[in-house]
Amino acid sequence: MAYKILKIDPMLQAYEKDIDLRMTSYLKKRKELLGDGTSLVDFANAHEYFGFHRTKDGWVYREWAPNATSMFLTGDFNGWNLTGKPMKKLDNGVFEIHLKGHDALQPGQKVQAIVCAGGELLRRIPLYATRVVQDPVTYLWCAEIEDTFAPYPWTDAGFKIPRTPFIYECHIGMAQDKYGVGTYDEFRLNILPRIKKLGYNTIQIMAIMEHPYYGSFGYQVSNFFAASSRYGTSEQLKKLIDTAHGMGIAVLLDVVHSHAVKNTAEGPNEFDGTVYQFFHEGPKGDHSAWGTKLFNYGKGQVIHFLLSNLKYWMDVFHFDGFRFDGVTSMLYLDHGLGSAFTDYSMYFSMNTDVEAITYLQLANELIHTINPKAITVAEDMSGMPGMCLPIADGGIGFDFRLSMGMPDLWIKTLKEVPDENWDMFKFWYELNGRRPKEKNIGYAESHDQALVGDKTIMFRLCDAEMYTGMSKLQQSAVIDRGIALHKMIRLVTASLAGEGYLNFMGNEFGHPEWIDFPREGNGWSYHYCRRQWNLVDDPLLRYGDLNAFDAAMIHLLRKERLLTKKTESRWIGQNEKTLVYSKGDYLFAFNFDPSASYEGYFLPCSEGRYVAVLSTDEERFGGVGRVDKTYIYKTEASADKGVGFPCYLPARTAIVFKKL
């Protein structure tokens, strides 16, 4: 069968057998799991059977532990008697226990599973636990019974997920000014209004799935069905999401199905005494760079667990989609480590993990069956062909891919290239280079660039000068340059690099310093693990200027739906360091030159009258106001450049014109 992907990208014709293998594997696994009559949505119901559930006469708890010879339930409800509550062994490695009486378990009580395997009693946290807490004295983790009797009173029935996401990437714990871990309630009350005011229509929340090490940024998950208890209760997370929906903001979960924490006391690793219950054995099951465990995506029970996890977060918490972490690691047996992906053969070889691709196809099918408007975003730096094409066309089914080359472009440029040598043709190529018919999320920087060991764009531009030069009461050439380029880099990236846009919280106003989680090396300090909103709120500091520009940029791009408009190149001035391009009735003009301002600079465009509607040089954005926003520009004919109009294009300035 000739799949549409081969017509969309003719260069794939030479790899038709690889595409056919991708699709054959998907269809084969789908039939193996579902047979002829079961739907994928009904299949992904493990969480409704396993774990703790109320019954008419009490409670039932079930677990899958095929290697266990016996299992027990223990907790403070029975004085932590390890073998006092034996579980009944059913078929296919399933154990269950019925606890009579509704008061047999109470909300807030702590429990653990005891797995007998190989003659040992293994203390484990139930795999489908929905709340997991750490004892403040012993630091041991255990499950906590949740009060799930009264359903949450959702008010978001009419919410519509935006088709063009402007994503505000955020972390609940470090979202507050305080020295400590922020809460779901604090985020809802303090941060959501800021996001709404800025104009973002989507939030992408990190570190929700429970993780024992706070400093992992949530990327070493232990308990896949538990919303992190560090920030509050499940009810409070639901209220946050419900409130966001009421503000017109979609909520994405940063889901981690690419690997799991290697800990055996907390996560699924060796739950029943074996590695192979969920993961590959031997070196194949260990991620050499991350020190984590790798799922066996060829195993039906693993797929059942992971697909049910996706459905759980959508059904129970009303998440509107997912950003899949570590997709590149999943796609390749060597996890893409050290690969440049310079030609197509690197995507299709013995190095490709076809089972992982099949899982991602099934995951996308499930998500979009549950909610056809849901958003899925792949974190893939390799550029795997078909990542964001429909499965029926030979694709993997994601809606968007992160434009991961953009931060690299800006970091490399700022680190290695003097301003006067910036390459406009390279900018244009990189900002517009993506696979045909596949949508991208553009971004200049994410949380990755804010971590210790790296620098945000603003910190890289200004460095130590940010500590002394951000006051409006003094002048600093370093800060002036930083603020000018910060705005220009964001505008050119947001308008060109994708069909959606992403920003990490605080970076919109140039948050200083880095993110460093509490650890022994810094005295367990929260000094760098928070967001200093007091800086952007201080009218005497220049952070507010960057914040104001970000809001104006987002509102313009959203209101005029400019990310859905076709981009047309009008002029690339390598010597002048200029870029001119149009999107619908809007004309974008950039002058990256550090010192040369151009009087009467001719801007090619379609015939008509134009007015400047946004300029990075406006005084309200920390500029000097060299662009007249009242003047009407009328096009004229040029012998060598066609139709356009002359304008004043100041140095280190970008202007957006609208056709009247």
Short mmCIF file of all heavy atoms in Angstrom, two decimals, residues 534-561:
data_model
loop_
_atom_site.label_atom_id
_atom_site.label_comp_id
_atom_site.label_asym_id
_atom_site.label_seq_id
_atom_site.Cartn_x
_atom_site.Cartn_y
_atom_site.Cartn_z
N ASN A 534 8.28 39.82 41.75
CA ASN A 534 8.48 41.17 42.27
C ASN A 534 9.31 42.02 41.31
O ASN A 534 9.16 43.25 41.26
CB ASN A 534 9.18 41.10 43.64
CG ASN A 534 10.54 40.44 43.56
OD1 ASN A 534 10.65 39.25 43.28
ND2 ASN A 534 11.60 41.21 43.80
N LEU A 535 10.15 41.38 40.51
CA LEU A 535 10.98 42.12 39.56
C LEU A 535 10.14 42.71 38.44
O LEU A 535 10.32 43.87 38.06
CB LEU A 535 12.07 41.21 38.98
CG LEU A 535 13.08 40.64 39.98
CD1 LEU A 535 14.03 39.67 39.28
CD2 LEU A 535 13.86 41.76 40.65
N VAL A 536 9.25 41.93 37.90
CA VAL A 536 8.43 42.43 36.79
C VAL A 536 7.36 43.40 37.29
O VAL A 536 6.88 44.25 36.52
CB VAL A 536 7.79 41.24 36.02
CG1 VAL A 536 6.69 40.58 36.82
CG2 VAL A 536 7.26 41.69 34.67
N ASP A 537 6.99 43.31 38.55
CA ASP A 537 5.97 44.20 39.11
C ASP A 537 6.55 45.54 39.56
O ASP A 537 5.80 46.47 39.86
CB ASP A 537 5.28 43.53 40.30
CG ASP A 537 4.45 42.32 39.89
OD1 ASP A 537 4.10 42.23 38.70
OD2 ASP A 537 4.18 41.46 40.75
N ASP A 538 7.87 45.66 39.63
CA ASP A 538 8.52 46.89 40.10
C ASP A 538 8.58 47.89 38.95
O ASP A 538 9.29 47.67 37.96
CB ASP A 538 9.93 46.57 40.61
CG ASP A 538 10.57 47.75 41.33
OD1 ASP A 538 10.19 48.90 41.04
OD2 ASP A 538 11.46 47.51 42.16
N PRO A 539 7.88 49.03 39.04
CA PRO A 539 7.85 49.99 37.93
C PRO A 539 9.18 50.67 37.67
O PRO A 539 9.35 51.32 36.63
CB PRO A 539 6.79 51.01 38.39
CG PRO A 539 6.78 50.91 39.89
CD PRO A 539 7.07 49.47 40.19
N LEU A 540 10.13 50.56 38.59
CA LEU A 540 11.43 51.19 38.41
C LEU A 540 12.43 50.28 37.72
O LEU A 540 13.56 50.70 37.43
CB LEU A 540 11.98 51.63 39.77
CG LEU A 540 11.18 52.72 40.50
CD1 LEU A 540 11.84 53.07 41.82
CD2 LEU A 540 11.03 53.97 39.63
N LEU A 541 12.02 49.04 37.44
CA LEU A 541 12.90 48.09 36.76
C LEU A 541 12.43 47.85 35.34
O LEU A 541 11.24 48.00 35.03
CB LEU A 541 12.97 46.77 37.54
CG LEU A 541 13.54 46.84 38.95
CD1 LEU A 541 13.52 45.47 39.61
CD2 LEU A 541 14.96 47.40 38.94
N ARG A 542 13.33 47.42 34.48
CA ARG A 542 13.03 47.29 33.05
C ARG A 542 12.43 45.93 32.67
O ARG A 542 12.08 45.72 31.52
CB ARG A 542 14.31 47.57 32.24
CG ARG A 542 14.89 48.96 32.53
CD ARG A 542 16.07 49.28 31.66
NE ARG A 542 15.68 49.50 30.27
CZ ARG A 542 16.53 49.82 29.29
NH1 ARG A 542 17.82 49.94 29.57
NH2 ARG A 542 16.10 49.99 28.06
N TYR A 543 12.31 45.04 33.64
CA TYR A 543 11.69 43.75 33.35
C TYR A 543 10.25 43.93 32.84
O TYR A 543 9.78 43.19 31.98
CB TYR A 543 11.67 42.87 34.61
CG TYR A 543 13.04 42.49 35.11
CD1 TYR A 543 13.62 43.15 36.18
CD2 TYR A 543 13.76 41.46 34.51
CE1 TYR A 543 14.88 42.80 36.64
CE2 TYR A 543 15.02 41.10 34.97
CZ TYR A 543 15.58 41.78 36.04
OH TYR A 543 16.82 41.43 36.49
N GLY A 544 9.56 44.92 33.40
CA GLY A 544 8.19 45.17 32.98
C GLY A 544 8.06 45.56 31.52
O GLY A 544 7.03 45.30 30.89
N ASP A 545 9.10 46.18 30.96
CA ASP A 545 9.08 46.55 29.54
C ASP A 545 9.04 45.30 28.65
O ASP A 545 8.31 45.24 27.66
CB ASP A 545 10.31 47.39 29.20
CG ASP A 545 10.36 48.70 29.98
OD1 ASP A 545 9.29 49.16 30.42
OD2 ASP A 545 11.46 49.24 30.14
N LEU A 546 9.87 44.32 29.02
CA LEU A 546 9.88 43.07 28.26
C LEU A 546 8.54 42.34 28.41
O LEU A 546 8.03 41.75 27.45
CB LEU A 546 11.02 42.17 28.74
CG LEU A 546 12.44 42.69 28.49
CD1 LEU A 546 13.46 41.74 29.09
CD2 LEU A 546 12.69 42.87 27.00
N ASN A 547 7.99 42.37 29.60
CA ASN A 547 6.69 41.72 29.86
C ASN A 547 5.60 42.36 29.01
O ASN A 547 4.76 41.67 28.43
CB ASN A 547 6.36 41.85 31.34
CG ASN A 547 5.27 40.89 31.77
OD1 ASN A 547 5.49 39.69 31.86
ND2 ASN A 547 4.10 41.42 32.06
N ALA A 548 5.62 43.70 28.94
CA ALA A 548 4.61 44.42 28.15
C ALA A 548 4.74 44.08 26.67
O ALA A 548 3.72 43.93 25.96
CB ALA A 548 4.76 45.92 28.37
N PHE A 549 5.97 43.97 26.18
CA PHE A 549 6.14 43.61 24.77
C PHE A 549 5.63 42.20 24.50
O PHE A 549 4.96 41.95 23.49
CB PHE A 549 7.60 43.70 24.35
CG PHE A 549 7.81 43.22 22.93
CD1 PHE A 549 7.45 44.02 21.86
CD2 PHE A 549 8.31 41.94 22.67
CE1 PHE A 549 7.60 43.56 20.55
CE2 PHE A 549 8.46 41.49 21.37
CZ PHE A 549 8.10 42.30 20.32
N ASP A 550 5.94 41.26 25.40
CA ASP A 550 5.50 39.89 25.20
C ASP A 550 3.98 39.83 25.10
O ASP A 550 3.43 39.14 24.24
CB ASP A 550 5.98 39.00 26.36
CG ASP A 550 5.93 37.52 26.01
OD1 ASP A 550 6.82 37.07 25.27
OD2 ASP A 550 5.00 36.83 26.46
N ALA A 551 3.29 40.56 25.97
CA ALA A 551 1.83 40.58 25.94
C ALA A 551 1.31 41.16 24.63
O ALA A 551 0.39 40.62 24.01
CB ALA A 551 1.29 41.38 27.13
N ALA A 552 1.91 42.26 24.18
CA ALA A 552 1.48 42.88 22.93
C ALA A 552 1.72 41.94 21.75
O ALA A 552 0.88 41.84 20.83
CB ALA A 552 2.21 44.20 22.73
N MET A 553 2.86 41.28 21.75
CA MET A 553 3.19 40.34 20.66
C MET A 553 2.21 39.18 20.61
O MET A 553 1.67 38.85 19.54
CB MET A 553 4.62 39.81 20.86
CG MET A 553 5.04 38.77 19.84
SD MET A 553 6.66 38.04 20.20
CE MET A 553 6.23 36.90 21.54
N ILE A 554 1.96 38.57 21.77
CA ILE A 554 1.05 37.42 21.81
C ILE A 554 -0.35 37.83 21.39
O ILE A 554 -1.01 37.13 20.60
CB ILE A 554 1.04 36.79 23.22
CG1 ILE A 554 2.41 36.23 23.57
CG2 ILE A 554 -0.04 35.71 23.32
CD1 ILE A 554 2.87 35.10 22.69
N HIS A 555 -0.83 38.96 21.89
CA HIS A 555 -2.18 39.40 21.54
C HIS A 555 -2.32 39.67 20.05
O HIS A 555 -3.34 39.32 19.43
CB HIS A 555 -2.56 40.64 22.35
CG HIS A 555 -3.02 40.34 23.74
ND1 HIS A 555 -2.17 40.30 24.82
CD2 HIS A 555 -4.25 40.03 24.22
CE1 HIS A 555 -2.86 40.00 25.91
NE2 HIS A 555 -4.12 39.82 25.58
N LEU A 556 -1.30 40.27 19.44
CA LEU A 556 -1.36 40.54 18.00
C LEU A 556 -1.35 39.25 17.20
O LEU A 556 -2.19 39.06 16.30
CB LEU A 556 -0.17 41.41 17.59
CG LEU A 556 -0.05 41.68 16.08
CD1 LEU A 556 -1.24 42.50 15.59
CD2 LEU A 556 1.26 42.38 15.75
N LEU A 557 -0.43 38.35 17.51
CA LEU A 557 -0.35 37.09 16.77
C LEU A 557 -1.62 36.28 16.90
O LEU A 557 -2.06 35.62 15.95
CB LEU A 557 0.86 36.29 17.25
CG LEU A 557 2.24 36.90 17.00
CD1 LEU A 557 3.32 36.04 17.64
CD2 LEU A 557 2.50 37.07 15.51
N ARG A 558 -2.20 36.29 18.11
CA ARG A 558 -3.44 35.53 18.34
C ARG A 558 -4.64 36.17 17.66
O ARG A 558 -5.40 35.50 16.95
CB ARG A 558 -3.72 35.42 19.84
CG ARG A 558 -3.06 34.26 20.54
CD ARG A 558 -3.63 34.10 21.94
NE ARG A 558 -5.05 33.78 21.91
CZ ARG A 558 -5.83 33.73 22.99
NH1 ARG A 558 -5.32 34.02 24.18
NH2 ARG A 558 -7.11 33.41 22.88
N LYS A 559 -4.82 37.47 17.90
CA LYS A 559 -6.01 38.16 17.39
C LYS A 559 -6.09 38.08 15.87
O LYS A 559 -7.18 37.84 15.31
CB LYS A 559 -5.98 39.62 17.83
CG LYS A 559 -7.18 40.43 17.34
CD LYS A 559 -7.07 41.89 17.75
CE LYS A 559 -8.23 42.71 17.20
NZ LYS A 559 -8.09 44.16 17.54
N GLU A 560 -4.97 38.24 15.20
CA GLU A 560 -4.96 38.23 13.74
C GLU A 560 -4.67 36.85 13.15
O GLU A 560 -4.51 36.72 11.94
CB GLU A 560 -3.94 39.25 13.23
CG GLU A 560 -4.18 40.67 13.72
CD GLU A 560 -5.57 41.20 13.35
OE1 GLU A 560 -6.06 40.85 12.25
OE2 GLU A 560 -6.15 41.95 14.16
N ARG A 561 -4.56 35.84 14.03
CA ARG A 561 -4.33 34.45 13.61
C ARG A 561 -3.14 34.36 12.65
O ARG A 561 -3.17 33.65 11.64
CB ARG A 561 -5.60 33.90 12.96
CG ARG A 561 -6.84 33.94 13.85
CD ARG A 561 -8.06 33.42 13.15
NE ARG A 561 -7.92 32.02 12.82
CZ ARG A 561 -8.75 31.33 12.03
NH1 ARG A 561 -9.77 31.96 11.47
NH2 ARG A 561 -8.55 30.06 11.79
#
